[in-house]
């Protein structure tokens, strides 16, 4: 066995959170093809001031601004990964570094209902996964907890690095539910959700009576019923992870049949078989989060998975959102969207599905778009954002230019020159 | 794109009796056979995935047919993956639709020595023997790092540490060497049949290729120490996310590196992955391969190679498209010991060919036509009934 020697070297330590900086009170990006109003428009300029986009058009005021020309380049909103554990899971198999599971001692024995737990308290904006994800053009994530039937609240975070206060944009952004097969009872999961929603409706009128001990106990803990109130009111989307077509049908009828749920705004996530019920989903305007790479029927809920799921849904006017459904693979988002196009989806539709559509579905009207007043989350691409050969030339999050540095690029640079030699 | 350095644009390939009879530039005049017009399309060798669990961990996932890890003992050189392969795994056809023509099915990595891997030629069959790549050597799957020590340490038995892993590898080969010494110098008819010993002695004698699951640089170095001590060659490290740290060393040892384009972070030993791994290994003179280890990834190996290629280019590595194409063709064939049969478009090799509807490194490219031994296994224009009996009826009851 030959020995290895690593030459001693001193490596500068750079805190990634400190790198973002404003170079000038305003910045103008010119001459680019820009994704505006859901379409690619050539010859556009964008003016950024502070955290915001303040102007977009063929010409924008540029006095006193730093001007960067991006001729031949494409600028899109920063990409949005809508179903991920970025910032919640550092190393998937190291349990102590994974904070996606919202169990507490206040829940039922099976921890089926976790609506009241605030998943975003565990979000780590300084995670190495944040750095790796954002240099791939993903500037926003929707953090999704795991486990249980009512998993708890999801949150929207921008990958600014730095503090939670700066990073977290909406808490909660959705209430997450999981239905279907696997180890738990399928009908049982519907039962738990149905009881919780029924009781949340009852709670609205009987909260005072419950507080005076004039009402019998609820099956669902009262803190969870309180957390479900904005779902009943329709101000917080109910994001349901479900794959099987029959389960989607059952969900739609359950919500349709019950009293007091008329305002509930559903979002389907996963939706491997959603294409089979696309007419109903379109009729109700229910957005669906899908992974276009999911085409191998990984379990019995996905037997009818198709590679053109997204294209079929879009053709029926179902609002679609594309996702990796993953934590560490969130950086593959543009490849995922490219594969939806490979499966027949229009390219602009694919880009909308990873920018504006998720922002609209979750009620963030200033995210996922390039428009005056919008949050300045932008990516400058060397060409077609979905094509593998395309490189990222600049990233702006909250108006600040983000260096293309992550723990992985630092490893790359540390080992760029061969650091070993063989001894005789 | 021959994967042998040549790009003929336009060009032709002639297949006769299942083998490539001619390949060259320009238009072919008067071949006399069936002609497939690939104008505007791209032709490459069939893709080869050196690390797959199709058939041994089929979809849909169920304990009833999860047959990839004989996790009853850390050392099971006696088991053969081909005896677990369920040829009805729908994943086989999905892989064929992605341009794969050959794949190597390995046992899982629960065990230090997991058993023999088998190289399959990708076509429908009722038993794995019907898919076995003719003449391909077997491999022996071995694993270092977290998996074996987690599986057995969790049961309060050895190995529960990395040092336990290495001791287990050494003990197995010492036993094989003693067995061989007792019964003659080499494996022979006189040797009493012992399935495990046959696999291990096959590795010692170079007939069975050592395919080693390893992530960390130090784990790979430890395993090479074992190989040196016992006297066998490591054909390839699989996953090998830290290969870039020891790339000159691996290149000098001629151990191939089969890795992903960008998987990382799923466990601690996968924390130091970089997207330039394959490119850096290539640059140092090593033999890079992009593998899938995934029923999803095997459907688009061309994209995985493209990602690794463009990451390398962006980091300043001098790379040709031909180099990256070889990561999923020729180099993969070498890893499996079948480089004389497949992996490039060369006269005499098997007619394993993919016609792509766009450049194969584009995210939008689809395999339009796939041939194995000159026989069509996928034609995007002519959808066929599912290969797998399991998928029958899904169409009817939608």
């Amino acid at each position: 066995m030959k020995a290895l020697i690593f030459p001693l070297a001193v490596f500068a330590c750079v805190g990634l959170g400190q790198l973002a900086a404003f170079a000038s009170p305003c910045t103008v990006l010119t001459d680019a093809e820009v994704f505006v109003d859901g379409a690619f428009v050539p010859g556009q300029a964008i003016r950024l001031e502070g955290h915001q986009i303040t102007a977009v058009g063929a010409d924008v005021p540029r006095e006193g601004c730093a001007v960067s020309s991006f001729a031949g380049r494409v600028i899109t909103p920063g990409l949005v990964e809508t179903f991920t554990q970025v910032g919640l899971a550092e190393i998937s198999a190291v349990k102590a570094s994974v904070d996606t599971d919202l169990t507490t001692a206040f829940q039922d024995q099976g921890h089926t209902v976790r609506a009241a737990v605030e998943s975003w308290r565990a979000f780590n904006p300084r995670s190495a996964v944040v750095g790796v994800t954002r240099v791939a053009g993903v500037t926003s994530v929707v953090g999704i907890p795991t486990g249980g039937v009512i998993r708890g609240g999801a949150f929207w975070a921008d990958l600014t690095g730095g503090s939670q206060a700066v990073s977290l944009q909406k808490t909660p952004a959705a209430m997450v539910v999981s239905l279907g097969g696997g180890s738990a009872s399928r009908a049982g999961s519907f039962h738990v959700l149905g009881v919780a929603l029924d009781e949340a409706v009852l709670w609205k009128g009987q909260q005072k009576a419950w507080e005076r001990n004039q009402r019998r106990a609820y099956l669902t803990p009262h803190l969870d019923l309180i957390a479900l109130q904005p779902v009943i009111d329709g101000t917080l989307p109910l994001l349901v992870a479900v794959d099987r077509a029959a389960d989607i049908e059952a969900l739609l009828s359950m919500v349709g049949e019950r009293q007091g749920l008329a305002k509930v705004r559903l979002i389907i996530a996963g939706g491997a078989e959603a294409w089979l019920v696309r007419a109903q989903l379109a009729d109700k305007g229910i957005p669906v989060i899908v992974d276009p790479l999911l085409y191998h029927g990984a379990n019995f809920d996905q037997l009818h998975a198709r590679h053109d799921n997204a294209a079929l849904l879009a053709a029926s006017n179902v609002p679609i959102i594309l996702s990796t459904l993953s934590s560490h693979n969130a950086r593959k988002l543009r490849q995922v969207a490219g594969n939806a196009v490979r499966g027949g989806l229009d390219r602009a539709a694919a880009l909308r599905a990873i920018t504006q559509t998720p922002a609209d579905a979750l009620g963030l009207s200033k995210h996922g778009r390039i428009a005056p007043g919008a949050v300045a989350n932008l990516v400058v691409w060397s060409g077609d954002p979905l094509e593998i050969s395309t490189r990222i030339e600049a990233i702006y999050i909250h108006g600040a230019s983000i260096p293309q540095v992550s723990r992985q690029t630092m490893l790359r640079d540390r080992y760029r020159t061969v650091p070993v030699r063989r001894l005789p | 794109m021959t994967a042998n350095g040549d790009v003929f644009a336009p060009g032709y390939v002639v297949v006769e009796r299942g083998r490539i009879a001619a390949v060259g530039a320009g238009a072919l005049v008067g071949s006399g056979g069936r002609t497939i017009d690939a104008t505007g399309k791209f032709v490459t060798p069939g893709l080869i995935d050196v690390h797959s669990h199709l058939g041994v961990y089929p979809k849909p996932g169920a304990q009833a047919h999860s047959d990839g890890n004989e996790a009853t003992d850390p050392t099971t050189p006696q088991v053969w993956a081909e005896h677990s392969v369920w040829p009805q795994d729908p994943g086989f056809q999905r892989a064929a639709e992605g341009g794969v023509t050959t794949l190597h099915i390995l046992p899982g990595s629960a065990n230090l020595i997991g058993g023999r891997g088998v190289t399959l030629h990708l076509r429908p069959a009722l038993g794995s023997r019907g898919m076995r790549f003719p003449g391909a050597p077997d491999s022996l799957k071995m694993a270092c790092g977290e998996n074996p020590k987690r599986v057995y340490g969790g049961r309060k038995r050895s190995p529960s540490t990395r040092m336990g892993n290495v001791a287990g590898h050494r003990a197995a080969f010492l036993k094989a060497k003693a067995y061989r010494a007792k019964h003659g110098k080499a494996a022979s008819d006189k040797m009493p049949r012992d399935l495990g010993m046959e696999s291990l002695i096959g590795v010692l004698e170079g007939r069975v290729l050592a395919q080693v699951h390893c992530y960390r640089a130090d784990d790979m170095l430890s395993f090479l120490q074992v190989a040196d001590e016992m006297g066998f060659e490591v054909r390839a490290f699989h996953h090998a996310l830290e290969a870039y740290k020891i790339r000159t060393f691996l290149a000098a040892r001629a151990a191939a590196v089969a890795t992903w384009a960008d998987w990382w972070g799923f466990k601690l030993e996968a924390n130091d992955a970089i997207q330039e791994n394959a490119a850096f290994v290539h640059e140092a003179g090593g033999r890079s391969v992009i593998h899938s280890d995934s029923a999803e990834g095997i459907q688009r190996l061309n994209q995985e190679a493209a990602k690794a290629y463009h990451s390398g280019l962006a980091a300043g590595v001098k790379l040709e498209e031909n180099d990256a194409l070889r990561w999923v063709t020729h180099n993969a064939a070498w890893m499996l010991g079948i480089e004389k049969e497949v992996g490039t478009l060369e006269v005499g090799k098997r007619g394993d060919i993919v016609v792509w509807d766009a450049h194969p490194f584009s995210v939008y490219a689809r395999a339009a036509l796939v041939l194995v031994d000159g026989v069509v296994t996928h034609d995007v224009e002519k959808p066929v009934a599912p290969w797998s009996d399991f998928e029958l009826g899904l169409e009817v009851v939608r």
Side-chain angles (χ1 to χ4, degrees):
Chain A
M1 182 67 187
K2 286 148 184 164
L4 301 174
I5 289 188
F6 286 69
L8 289 172
V10 178
F11 297 97
C13 289
V14 184
L16 298 182
Q18 277 91 60
L19 287 172
F22 297 105
S24 167
C26 72
T27 306
V28 171
L29 319 176
T30 65
D31 309 316
E33 183 177 331
V34 178
F35 195 69
V36 187
D37 290 335
F40 291 97
V41 186
Q44 296 288 294
I46 307 168
R47 182 181 159 108
L48 316 180
E49 283 174 90
H51 290 50
Q52 282 195 330
I53 296 166
T54 52
V56 184
D59 197 21
V60 302
R62 56 184 72 181
E63 297 77 40
C65 299
V67 179
S68 300
S69 171
F70 286 113
R73 308 297 189 269
V74 178
I75 302 180
T76 69
L79 309 185
V80 182
E81 171 49 79
T82 314
F83 198 97
T84 186
Q85 285 79 40
V86 169
L88 294 177
E90 197 65 31
I91 303 289
S92 308
V94 178
K95 215 176 166 195
S97 77
V98 176
D99 298 301
T100 62
D101 194 304
L102 309 183
T103 52
T104 76
F106 309 133
Q107 296 156 352
D108 63 291
Q109 210 171 9
H111 302 280
T112 52
V113 180
R114 312 161 178 202
V117 189
E118 299 176 333
S119 64
W120 52 91
R121 301 293 176 199
F123 176 69
N124 179 14
R126 299 172 183 88
S127 163
V129 189
V130 166
V132 168
T133 304
R134 69 180 185 178
V135 298
V138 177
T139 61
S140 304
V141 296
V142 180
I144 304 284
T146 58
V149 175
I150 301 182
R151 296 183 182 182
F155 58 90
W156 181 298
D158 286 350
L159 302 183
T160 53
S163 70
Q164 280 192 351
V166 171
S167 193
L168 293 171
Q169 302 296 298
K170 193 168 189 192
T171 57
M175 182 59 64
V176 184
V177 167
S178 181
L179 297 174
S183 53
S185 160
R186 191 184 304 272
S189 65
F190 280 92
H191 178 72
V192 168
L193 176 63
V195 167
L197 290 175
D198 281 346
E199 292 189 337
V201 171
L202 288 173
W203 174 266
K204 194 171 284 301
Q206 301 181 3
Q207 182 182 348
K208 287 274 166 0
W210 181 85
E211 282 166 357
R212 289 193 297 264
N213 213 12
Q214 292 170 342
R215 193 211 179 276
R216 67 181 166 80
Y218 293 91
L219 292 169
T220 313
H222 77 283
L223 294 175
D224 294 308
L225 295 179
I226 293 169
L228 286 169
Q229 292 308 304
V231 173
I232 305 300
D233 296 341
T235 54
L236 185 68
L238 190 68
L239 192 156
V240 184
V242 57
D243 279 321
R244 200 170 81 164
D247 292 343
I248 298 173
E249 290 167 335
L251 171 69
L252 298 187
S253 30
M254 196 185 85
V255 171
E257 285 161 7
R258 285 177 136 80
Q259 297 293 314
L261 301 183
K263 289 184 188 161
V264 169
R265 282 164 49 214
L266 288 171
I267 298 172
I268 303 291
E273 297 187 351
W275 65 274
L276 282 166
V277 289
R278 55 196 187 277
Q280 290 125 285
L281 293 167
D283 183 47
K284 294 184 161 54
I286 297 172
V288 183
I289 304 170
V290 296
D291 171 9
L293 305 190
L294 200 160
Y295 173 43
H296 49 268
N299 59 50
F300 278 84
D301 283 7
Q302 303 176 347
L303 293 181
H304 293 90
R306 283 176 66 132
H307 75 288
D308 53 359
N309 192 15
L312 290 169
L313 289 166
S316 297
N317 294 318
V318 177
I320 53 159
I321 295 167
L322 302 176
S323 168
T324 63
L325 308 180
S326 163
S327 53
H328 295 72
N329 280 336
R331 65 165 165 196
K332 287 170 66 176
L333 186 57
R334 69 192 186 98
Q335 185 195 2
V336 158
N339 277 275
V341 176
R342 180 175 177 257
L345 185 68
D346 174 67
R347 200 167 64 94
L351 203 62
R352 285 196 297 277
I354 49 175
T355 53
Q356 189 170 334
T357 311
D360 289 344
L362 296 169
L364 285 98
S365 60
K366 295 186 186 309
H367 279 78
R369 70 207 74 215
I370 295 175
V375 175
N377 294 346
L378 301 170
V379 183
V380 181
W381 310 87
S382 64
D384 176 357
L386 306 186
E387 188 55 281
I388 295 166
S389 56
T390 299
R391 300 287 105 189
I392 290 178
E393 303 203 349
I395 303 166
Y396 296 87
I397 302 181
H398 291 193
S401 174
I402 300 293
Q404 292 192 53
V405 177
S406 72
R407 186 171 174 278
Q408 290 191 7
T409 67
M410 294 168 87
L411 276 166
R412 175 196 69 199
D413 296 344
R414 168 175 282 198
Y415 286 92
R416 181 63 193 94
T417 51
V418 179
V420 293
R421 67 186 171 85
R422 280 181 297 142
L423 291 178
Chain B
M1 304 167 74
T2 61
N4 200 29
D6 291 319
V7 176
F8 301 121
Y12 60 84
V13 187
V14 180
V15 180
E16 273 177 22
R17 296 171 201 273
R19 296 225 173 226
I20 295 172
V23 55
L28 186 68
V29 188
S31 71
R34 178 191 168 199
T35 303
I36 297 163
D37 182 2
T39 305
K41 298 192 170 79
F42 295 76
V43 178
T44 68
L47 305 187
I48 300 170
D49 191 352
V50 299
H51 194 117
S52 170
H53 299 297
L54 289 181
V56 299
Y57 281 116
K59 304 292 183 195
Q63 182 57 39
H65 60 196
S66 288
D67 294 324
N69 273 311
E70 181 57 36
T72 52
D73 190 273
T75 306
T76 57
Q78 72 275 18
V79 303
W80 295 24
E82 71 172 278
H83 299 133
S84 277
V85 168
W86 184 45
Q88 305 275 356
D89 183 348
F92 283 120
Q93 189 177 15
R94 302 286 194 280
E97 290 164 357
V100 172
T101 53
T102 298
L103 69 174
H104 191 63
I105 309 298
L106 290 158
S109 51
N111 293 352
L112 296 171
I113 299 179
R116 290 202 193 198
V118 62
T119 297
L120 302 180
H121 222 185
L122 189 40
R123 54 189 164 211
L126 289 171
S128 63
R129 271 288 152 127
M131 302 169 78
R132 219 179 201 288
F133 193 103
D138 279 0
S139 72
L140 187 63
K141 167 75 177 284
M142 292 180 268
C144 37
E146 290 180 23
N147 288 10
K149 81 185 194 84
R150 186 190 65 244
V151 170
Y152 292 97
R155 300 177 194 171
K156 295 286 176 223
R157 58 177 292 196
S158 184
S160 68
T161 59
R162 280 186 158 82
M163 55 189 172
N165 285 350
V166 173
H169 286 132
R170 295 172 79 193
F173 279 100
L174 281 177
K175 211 170 140 191
K177 284 162 76 89
Y179 190 86
R180 187 170 61 161
K182 185 178 170 188
H183 297 291
K185 275 193 169 166
S188 69
D189 293 343
K190 283 184 241 164
M191 195 174 271
R193 292 297 306 274
D194 181 304
L195 297 175
M197 289 299 132
E198 288 169 13
S199 295
L200 291 165
I201 292 169
V203 170
L204 291 171
E205 296 180 352
R207 288 176 285 106
V208 174
L209 305 178
Q211 308 286 359
V212 187
H213 155 121
C214 240
Y215 286 85
R216 270 176 20 189
D218 57 314
D219 280 341
M220 287 185 265
L221 295 173
S222 292
F223 195 89
L224 286 170
Q225 281 184 315
V226 174
D228 286 350
E229 180 187 7
M230 299 299 156
F232 66 89
E233 296 294 322
V234 173
R235 187 66 161 197
F237 284 110
H238 293 237
H239 314 332
L241 292 183
E242 295 185 11
Y244 66 95
K245 297 183 182 177
I246 51 171
R247 57 193 186 269
T248 49
F249 194 72
L250 293 174
R253 299 287 302 241
V257 169
T259 190
W260 297 283
D262 53 14
W263 277 21
W264 75 291
F266 40 91
K267 49 184 172 172
L268 197 50
E269 63 188 2
N271 195 36
D272 281 6
I274 64 170
Q275 292 170 293
E276 297 80 4
N277 193 27
F280 281 7
V281 168
H282 170 88
E283 184 183 52
R287 205 177 254 112
S288 295
V289 173
I290 298 292
H291 66 10
S292 82
D293 192 15
S294 152
E296 177 263 298
I298 197 172
Q299 298 175 40
R300 45 190 75 78
L301 265 187
N302 58 312
Q303 292 179 22
E304 299 307 304
K307 283 190 294 185
Y309 168 67
H310 285 291
S311 297
L313 282 187
V317 178
K318 257 194 77 185
L319 282 172
E320 306 289 335
E321 284 183 351
N322 182 69
D323 300 323
L325 184 57
R326 284 163 81 88
W327 297 347
V328 285
T329 56
H330 175 77
N331 290 5
W334 181 88
M335 249 184 80
L336 302 179
I338 51 173
E339 73 279 8
K340 293 195 171 77
E341 288 286 299
V342 288
T344 59
L345 299 180
E346 283 181 276
V347 172
K349 286 198 177 176
R350 291 177 180 272
D352 292 6
I353 296 168
V354 185
V355 180
W356 304 89
D357 65 359
H359 192 292
F361 288 176
S362 166
V363 74
Y364 307 123
R366 292 181 307 166
L369 191 71
V370 182
L371 308 176
V372 170
D373 283 344
V375 176
V376 173
T377 55
H378 167 65
D379 183 344
V380 79
E381 301 293 330
K382 294 178 188 159
V384 293
W387 293 3
S388 172
D389 297 342
F390 183 82
E391 292 200 300
L392 273 189
L394 294 180
E395 295 276 341
V396 181
V397 296
R398 270 168 184 168

